[in-house]
Amino acid sequence: MSEPQIRVVVADDQALVRSGFTMILAAAGLDVVGEAADGEAALAAVRRLRPDVVLMDIRMPGMDGLEATRRLLATGATTTAGEPTRVIILTTFDLDEYVYAALRAGASGFLLKDVTPDHLVHAVRLVRDGDALLAPSITRRLVDRFTSTSGVREDHGALPTLTAREREVLVLLARGLSNAELAAQLQLGEATVKTHVARILAKLQLRDRVQAVIFAYESGLVSPGS
């Protein structure tokens, strides 16, 4: 039995960007079921089409991608299979406060608009499978920049529920290590690492690894610049 096609909505105010991304995804066998030129249209498309993944431009006229992402994730949008709809943010600049806010709201990662076709397709597939699109160096610089400038440390009452090993895994995860790198550093099997990560996300009620990175910084477990 063949795997069902990944269904995508592309939201960007530039028609050329939408058509370019649509062609790349379609050529790779992904199904672009809808396009939108602003946040309102993106929300309407998601409600109507229930895609697996939304490629969401962060800066659009009217309702921007940040507000659309917040509303989409707050309403618990789901796919036709009942899984959570995932959002990938599209941005021109990696160090963008809007992108950071979208990640806090639950977006599964972000892509620069000059992304290569192969990376774009890989990113959509990765996120559809429930993984976070976590480019460690860029994500960490983003979190470093905006947690340090805000000066805010939130009180996360769930942190004490983590075991010592889970805290250790979370710190390393926040520093951008992959599962394979975590396994090597902690001398654990990769399956064991995946179990630890899954338990961390469940205990802290986080969607994915991107939110875990942000949590680690905002709880003070990891300090910007450390």
Side-chain angles (χ1 to χ4, degrees):
M1 186 176 176
S2 62
E3 186 179 347
Q5 268 190 313
I6 301 174
R7 304 173 73 253
V8 183
V9 164
V10 178
D12 194 290
D13 61 322
Q14 297 179 40
L16 192 59
V17 172
R18 294 198 306 274
S19 61
F21 278 20
T22 296
M23 284 190 292
I24 291 168
L25 296 172
L30 282 65
D31 185 11
V32 179
V33 295
E35 297 182 16
D38 57 50
E40 290 276 10
L43 288 177
V46 170
R47 283 193 294 266
R48 186 174 73 256
L49 301 167
R50 301 183 67 190
D52 299 297
V53 178
V54 181
L55 291 173
M56 183 84 76
D57 183 18
I58 196 69
R59 295 180 183 272
M60 294 185 285
M63 183 190 294
D64 62 22
L66 171 57
E67 183 59 26
T69 297
R70 282 176 173 154
R71 294 191 189 189
L72 188 159
L73 296 173
T75 59
T78 58
T79 70
T80 53
E83 297 293 325
T85 293
R86 307 282 179 172
V87 177
I88 298 175
I89 296 298
L90 299 173
T91 180
T92 306
F93 306 105
D94 54 0
L95 292 179
D96 186 332
E97 190 167 8
Y98 279 67
V99 175
Y100 179 65
L103 295 178
R104 289 195 72 211
S108 294
F110 67 95
L111 290 171
L112 297 180
K113 287 191 179 182
D114 61 0
V115 63
T116 65
D118 285 348
H119 190 187
L120 173 66
V121 172
H122 173 71
V124 171
R125 287 181 170 146
L126 188 74
V127 165
R128 193 287 302 266
D129 290 339
D131 291 322
L133 182 62
L134 187 64
S137 60
I138 296 176
T139 302
R140 190 171 175 213
R141 282 193 295 125
L142 186 74
V143 175
D144 264 1
R145 168 74 63 88
F146 295 112
T147 54
S148 61
T149 55
S150 67
V152 174
R153 284 291 176 273
E154 297 187 10
D155 180 21
H156 290 282
L159 192 57
T161 66
L162 300 184
T163 65
R165 174 63 90 184
E166 287 164 353
R167 280 182 178 236
E168 188 177 16
V169 169
L170 179 55
V171 167
L172 294 175
L173 189 157
R175 289 176 178 152
L177 273 65
S178 66
N179 284 346
E181 291 166 337
L182 281 165
Q185 178 144 340
L186 299 174
Q187 298 185 314
L188 298 171
E190 203 165 332
T192 303
V193 168
K194 288 180 180 178
T195 299
H196 281 310
V197 172
R199 285 177 178 162
I200 290 166
L201 298 181
K203 285 183 177 182
L204 301 180
Q205 297 183 308
L206 303 172
R207 290 173 64 93
D208 54 37
R209 294 167 75 102
V210 170
Q211 294 228 297
V213 171
I214 292 172
F215 176 96
Y217 278 82
E218 293 195 340
S219 66
L221 190 63
V222 177
S223 301
S226 64

